[in-house]
Amino acid sequence: SIGYTWGPKWETSIIEFIEPWYMLSMAYKWLGEKQTHVLAICDYPGYKPGDKDKRLTEDIIKVIGKADIVLAHNGDRFDVKKTNTRALIHGIPPPKPYKTIDTKKIAKHKFGFDSNSLNDLAKSLGLKPKVQTGGFSLWLGCIGGDMKAWRKMKKYNKRDVDLLEEIYLLMRGWATLHPDVS
């Protein structure tokens, strides 16, 4: 989101939104598949900086529509709601019903880690960590059409999905509320 504030960052609320948030990219893979796929607004024909996410959202809904179960980290509180919001805004019908598995919920419910962030779980479990983004400048670069920033964003997205799968496979046996996959 882009908006006006009265004060310095992190210390005040938005007074007025100038531009609402939109999605830049999404990465996914099917459980056990080697290839991680990335969908990004910069990859659509005719892309130019400032393009919004309608085509991306349509494709995300198509991918979700093929899944019986969607796995995410903090997905129930963030990813699912954000995707649903953009679909509704664009008039895109919802996917067929699906179940979710949220590794952050499993971590909170079954374990006592110091932190349940994806990267902190990776560190605690001895896994290769997330790709470092360099901070907010990566998102600004993507919004501005910087293709080097987009390459880094895609690498970041891919690692998150691969890491999510690794953590899920380690935690899966502990997930007593896991959907039936028989």
Side-chain angles (χ1 to χ4, degrees), residues 79-80 166 174:
D79 304 81
V80 170
E166 293 172 43
W174 296 89

Side-chain angles (χ1 to χ4, degrees), residues 7-9 11 32 44 71 85 100-101 104 122 165 178:
K9 63 184 178 180
E11 296 180 14
Y44 288 88
L71 173 66
T85 300
T100 62
I101 298 172
K104 187 169 186 177
E165 182 180 41
H178 196 288

Side-chain angles (χ1 to χ4, degrees), residues 5 10 22-23 30 49 52 59 65 77 93 106 112 120 128 138 142 165 173:
T5 69
W10 312 117
Y22 58 94
M23 294 190 285
W30 302 104
K52 299 303 181 260
D59 286 344
R77 288 192 67 201
I106 297 169
D120 287 342
K128 180 180 165 189
L138 179 65
C142 290
E165 182 180 41

Side-chain angles (χ1 to χ4, degrees), residues 131-171:
V131 170
Q132 294 300 308
T133 65
F136 184 58
S137 62
L138 179 65
W139 278 259
L140 288 176
C142 290
I143 291 167
D146 178 349
M147 296 314 286
K148 183 178 178 184
W150 273 114
R151 285 189 295 278
K152 189 169 191 175
M153 179 65 79
K154 290 177 190 179
K155 184 178 178 182
Y156 169 78
N157 290 165
K158 283 182 180 183
R159 179 63 195 143
D160 270 16
V161 169
D162 294 342
L163 181 56
L164 170 67
E165 182 180 41
E166 293 172 43
I167 288 173
Y168 166 69
L169 291 173
L170 290 171
M171 290 183 171

Side-chain angles (χ1 to χ4, degrees), residues 9-114:
K9 63 184 178 180
W10 312 117
E11 296 180 14
T12 188
S13 298
I14 300 293
I15 299 165
E16 182 177 338
F17 285 102
I18 304 305
E19 185 177 338
W21 66 271
Y22 58 94
M23 294 190 285
L24 297 176
S25 61
M26 178 259 212
Y28 71 96
K29 70 186 294 191
W30 302 104
L31 186 62
E33 180 183 40
K34 287 188 187 270
Q35 184 178 2
T36 303
H37 310 272
V38 178
L39 304 173
I41 59 174
C42 66
D43 294 327
Y44 288 88
Y47 164 77
K48 59 188 179 318
D51 280 358
K52 299 303 181 260
D53 61 1
K54 183 174 184 181
R55 294 181 290 179
L56 173 63
T57 304
E58 288 170 337
D59 286 344
I60 292 170
I61 293 294
K62 286 178 191 172
V63 169
I64 292 171
K66 294 177 184 176
D68 295 316
I69 300 171
V70 172
L71 173 66
H73 191 80
N74 200 34
D76 290 342
R77 288 192 67 201
F78 186 81
D79 304 81
V80 170
K81 290 180 178 185
K82 292 294 190 177
T83 301
N84 291 348
T85 300
R86 296 309 293 172
L88 183 63
I89 286 169
H90 291 307
I92 301 166
K96 71 173 180 60
Y98 59 93
K99 296 192 181 304
T100 62
I101 298 172
D102 191 321
T103 52
K104 187 169 186 177
K105 283 183 175 179
I106 297 169
K108 283 181 158 187
H109 184 253
K110 292 294 182 173
F111 307 103
F113 292 101
D114 289 333

